[in-house]
Amino acid sequence: MSHVDLQDLKNRLFGPDGRVVKTNKFSVDFQLFSPITDSFIEANGEAAVAVSASSLSLRTEAWEFQNMPIEIPIKRMRNNKLLITFYGTRNMSAFTSLLSLIKQYGGHPLSQTSASNNAPTAYTASQLYNIAIAENFGRVNILNDGQPGIGSGSIVNSITYTHLYPVEMFPVDFDSTSPSMPLTYTCLFNYKTAWAQRESTPEDSLVPKR
């Protein structure tokens, strides 16, 4: 086992590659396909208050080898949910776009007169999942927190989410008694895979090493 002294620890935490992120500065990009317009809705550097992603864990089971009980990993477990709280703007463009996409991907409310009205726009014969959602992605960019030699606001790392699509818009609270508080709204997304910028390969490309 290699020995790590205090100077090694300082270099790992405060050196160019391991610098601790002391302030929570980030931006959000996304590209989401609209089946109705047959085009992507894009946002770059969208103002956001908070981002919360599902945790990743391993399911393990007890196994006994040479009378020694151990726990072995048998399956990767994840929930694949991404929660983003955005700042509300006067034009509410991102809010309106996300609402529209939820309606397109989910279809119309149940209709008693016409079953065809209930079909989701994203799953028609010409707009299946692999066309409507498979090229969607979102990215959370971690921004420079003042490190010398790096431009202010530049991206130092990022987390990318593939097959991203909105599934729920949470209630928006309007409160006239708190004039100093900015308007925010929260949207829940589903996604397929996630990887950090500095991972060796995206999850879709991971293969067992022999």
Side-chain angles (χ1 to χ4, degrees), residues 28-34 40-41 51-53 80-84 86 98 101 105 129 132-140 159-167 187-194:
V28 176
D29 304 336
F30 59 76
Q31 174 183 286
L32 306 173
F33 186 75
S34 169
F40 284 98
I41 296 173
V51 175
S52 178
N80 291 32
K81 303 290 184 183
L82 179 66
L83 194 69
I84 303 180
F86 297 94
L98 292 173
L101 289 175
Y105 294 156
Y129 176 94
I133 292 176
E135 295 186 16
N136 288 1
F137 75 87
R139 183 177 294 117
V140 178
I159 304 173
T160 300
Y161 301 89
T162 66
H163 293 217
L164 184 77
Y165 63 97
V167 294
C187 187
L188 179 67
F189 298 82
N190 281 352
Y191 65 90
K192 179 184 177 184
T193 61

Side-chain angles (χ1 to χ4, degrees), residues 4-202:
V4 178
D5 59 23
L6 181 59
Q7 187 59 45
D8 290 333
L9 186 61
K10 288 181 178 179
N11 290 336
R12 294 184 184 187
L13 292 179
F14 303 104
D17 295 327
R19 182 180 173 87
V20 173
V21 180
K22 295 182 294 184
T23 56
N24 200 359
K25 294 184 178 180
F26 62 92
S27 65
V28 176
D29 304 336
F30 59 76
Q31 174 183 286
L32 306 173
F33 186 75
S34 169
I36 289 180
T37 63
D38 194 30
S39 62
F40 284 98
I41 296 173
E42 298 183 0
N44 295 305
E46 187 68 28
V49 181
V51 175
S52 178
S54 303
S55 61
L56 184 66
S57 62
L58 284 175
R59 177 183 168 189
T60 64
E61 285 191 358
W63 187 65
E64 191 168 304
F65 177 72
Q66 295 181 347
N67 296 324
M68 295 292 293
I70 61 175
E71 291 280 335
I72 62 171
I74 62 171
K75 186 178 182 181
R76 181 173 53 177
M77 307 291 290
R78 59 187 178 192
N79 198 21
N80 291 32
K81 303 290 184 183
L82 179 66
L83 194 69
I84 303 180
T85 300
F86 297 94
Y87 284 108
T89 58
R90 291 187 178 183
N91 59 15
M92 297 291 280
S93 58
F95 176 83
T96 304
S97 297
L98 292 173
L99 277 184
S100 174
L101 289 175
I102 291 174
K103 295 174 183 177
Q104 292 181 51
Y105 294 156
H108 298 282
L110 183 64
S111 172
Q112 301 295 331
T113 58
S114 175
S116 62
N117 288 338
N118 303 328
T121 310
Y123 303 103
T124 61
S126 61
Q127 300 291 358
L128 298 175
Y129 176 94
N130 59 345
I131 297 175
I133 292 176
E135 295 186 16
N136 288 1
F137 75 87
R139 183 177 294 117
V140 178
N141 302 308
I142 301 172
L143 305 179
N144 175 42
D145 62 349
Q147 180 178 352
I150 300 180
S152 177
S154 59
I155 298 172
V156 296
N157 211 327
S158 63
I159 304 173
T160 300
Y161 301 89
T162 66
H163 293 217
L164 184 77
Y165 63 97
V167 294
E168 182 177 358
M169 184 68 73
F170 287 76
V172 181
D173 294 325
F174 294 93
D175 187 356
S176 61
T177 63
S178 302
S180 62
M181 295 297 293
L183 175 65
T184 63
Y185 59 92
T186 301
C187 187
L188 179 67
F189 298 82
N190 281 352
Y191 65 90
K192 179 184 177 184
T193 61
W195 73 87
Q197 176 183 332
R198 299 194 179 187
E199 281 190 63
S200 57
T201 55

